[in-house]
């Protein structure tokens, strides 16, 4: 646990901050994201907590949780607050430095953080976690199937995925001859994040190229990756505008 003066100093020295972390007694960070977007975290947190409560119930206290692409540890600390044994991992040490401070300043020194890439998650962790969070990362990676297979491999029971989604495209492709056809199972859009990537943005993937799934593609890929079933959760009535319009989704993927 840090003293108020240490928290004040850390907030100052480690800024700018991506999230609005609140350490109590008026000690908090000012987020980089515009005020109209800050509410995105309220919606995600509400949806994540609600599904955890529905799925784990009283078991939620004490379960293990891996927060994949944890950034400043906003969701890691939120899960630790619920009594979970939390590990946060991220590709960027500069994010993890802030995450360690946030955990200490919030009184959750037990949260473990490690550097790593989703692409090698299963071998790096060498174990499963009851709950995995894969929030805001899928649409930043260039090989979503590889990543989802890795995420499935370390998920013991439930994985919560939050992602931007592209509009669905329904259709058929020829498959070897004009009369042979296969239906699309959703689509992946290729997205250029090179501008942000080369500018040193701390939220992008580890390469400049990103992919973004349509809702059907997300569900199809999750099944192919090793989840028994997956469903897109209904946002609350007061959801952030992108969730309300279905442009971002929170999806629950179950191992059994
Ligand atoms: C948009 S932020 C989302 C952070 C947080 N999970 C959230 O939902 O608010 C993406 C995070 O994932 C990390 N990241 C991106 N690609 C990664 C990869 N291939 N392996 C591990 N971490 C990655 C970034 O460093 C960043 O912290």
């Amino acid at each position: 646990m840090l003293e108020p003066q240490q928290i004040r100093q850390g907030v100052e020295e480690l800024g700018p901050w991506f999230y609005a972390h609140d350490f109590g007694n008026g000690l908090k960070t000012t987020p980089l994201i515009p005020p109209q977007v800050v509410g995105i975290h309220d919606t995600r947190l509400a949806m994540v907590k609600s599904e955890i409560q529905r799925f784990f119930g009283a078991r939620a206290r004490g379960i293990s949780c891996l927060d994949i692409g944890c950034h400043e540890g906003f969701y890691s600390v939120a899960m630790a607050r619920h009594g979970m044994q939390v590990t946060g991992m991220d590709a960027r040490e500069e994010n993890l430095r802030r995450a360690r401070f946030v955990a200490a300043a919030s009184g959750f020194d037990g949260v473990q953080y490690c550097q790593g890439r989703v692409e090698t998650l299963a071998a790096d962790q060498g174990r499963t976690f009851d709950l995995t969070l894969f929030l805001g990362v899928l649409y930043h990676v260039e090989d979503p199937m590889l990543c989802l297979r890795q995420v499935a491999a370390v998920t013991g029971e439930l994985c919560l995925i939050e992602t931007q989604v592209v509009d669905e495209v329904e259709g058929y492709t020829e498959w070897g001859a004009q009369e042979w056809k296969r239906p699309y199972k959703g689509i992946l859009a290729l997205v250029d994040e090179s501008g942000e990537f080369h500018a040193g943005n701390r939220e992008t993937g580890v390469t400049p190229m990103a992919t973004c799934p349509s809702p059907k593609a997300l569900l199809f890929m999750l099944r192919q990756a090793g989840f028994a079933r997956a469903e897109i959760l209904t946002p609350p009535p007061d959801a952030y505008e992108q969730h309300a319009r279905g442009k971002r989704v929170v999806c629950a993927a179950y191992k059994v």
Side-chain angles (χ1 to χ4, degrees):
M1 190 72 183
L2 300 179
E3 296 297 324
Q5 178 48 31
Q6 292 173 297
I7 298 179
R8 211 168 284 118
Q9 191 178 338
V11 166
E12 182 72 23
E13 287 176 2
L14 293 169
W17 292 89
F18 187 71
Y19 299 85
H21 302 285
D22 191 343
F23 306 116
N25 300 320
L27 296 166
K28 53 185 167 192
T29 59
T30 306
L32 271 178
I33 53 178
Q36 68 272 24
V37 182
V38 172
I40 191 173
H41 295 299
D42 297 334
T43 296
R44 297 155 116 222
L45 209 46
M47 293 182 75
V48 163
K49 282 185 187 171
S50 152
E51 180 57 16
I52 289 170
Q53 180 56 36
R54 192 200 66 75
F55 183 82
F56 288 106
R59 279 200 301 139
R61 294 199 80 76
I63 61 168
S64 56
C65 169
L66 179 66
D67 183 8
I68 303 161
C70 64
H71 205 298
E72 293 170 4
F74 183 84
Y75 293 90
S76 308
V77 165
M79 296 302 107
R81 238 181 259 290
H82 282 267
M84 298 178 195
Q85 306 299 311
V86 183
T87 302
M89 66 78 63
D90 200 280
R92 291 186 167 88
E93 184 52 42
E94 54 188 322
N95 289 345
L96 292 171
R97 204 167 56 239
R98 292 170 173 90
R100 289 188 191 97
F101 166 78
V102 167
S106 308
F108 293 104
D109 301 276
V111 179
Q112 304 286 314
Y113 287 106
C114 55
Q115 190 174 10
R117 291 188 172 195
V118 190
E119 288 81 352
T120 56
L121 192 57
D124 293 349
Q125 295 295 330
R127 56 168 286 201
T128 60
F129 296 80
D130 303 317
L131 169 70
T132 56
L133 300 183
F134 195 41
L135 311 175
V137 186
L138 182 65
Y139 67 97
H140 289 295
V141 300
E142 71 172 30
D143 191 339
M145 262 323 294
L146 169 68
C147 292
L148 289 177
R149 284 190 204 284
Q150 297 286 313
V151 171
V154 298
T155 302
E157 297 189 48
L158 171 68
C159 176
L160 293 170
I161 303 108
E162 197 266 0
T163 183
Q164 192 81 48
V165 285
V166 297
D167 295 340
E168 202 61 77
V169 175
E170 306 278 355
Y172 289 82
T173 177
E174 290 189 11
W175 208 247
Q178 193 173 12
E179 64 276 24
W180 298 340
K181 303 260 199 293
R182 291 283 168 91
Y184 298 165
K185 293 289 191 184
I187 60 151
L188 281 177
L190 305 185
V191 179
D192 181 7
E193 279 204 299
S194 54
E196 296 93 332
F197 180 81
H198 293 301
N201 181 295
R202 294 189 278 131
E203 287 74 55
T204 69
V206 294
T207 60
M209 183 183 140
T211 57
C212 189
S214 67
K216 279 188 177 174
L218 174 62
L219 294 172
F220 184 63
M221 288 194 299
L222 285 167
R223 293 288 309 279
Q224 295 299 311
F227 289 100
R229 62 195 173 89
E231 65 188 65
I232 289 173
L233 304 177
T234 306
D238 61 347
Y240 175 65
E241 58 93 5
Q242 275 212 303
H243 294 106
R245 291 182 298 110
K247 302 296 180 185
R248 293 184 80 102
V249 296
V250 177
C251 186
Y254 310 90
K255 282 307 280 290
V256 288

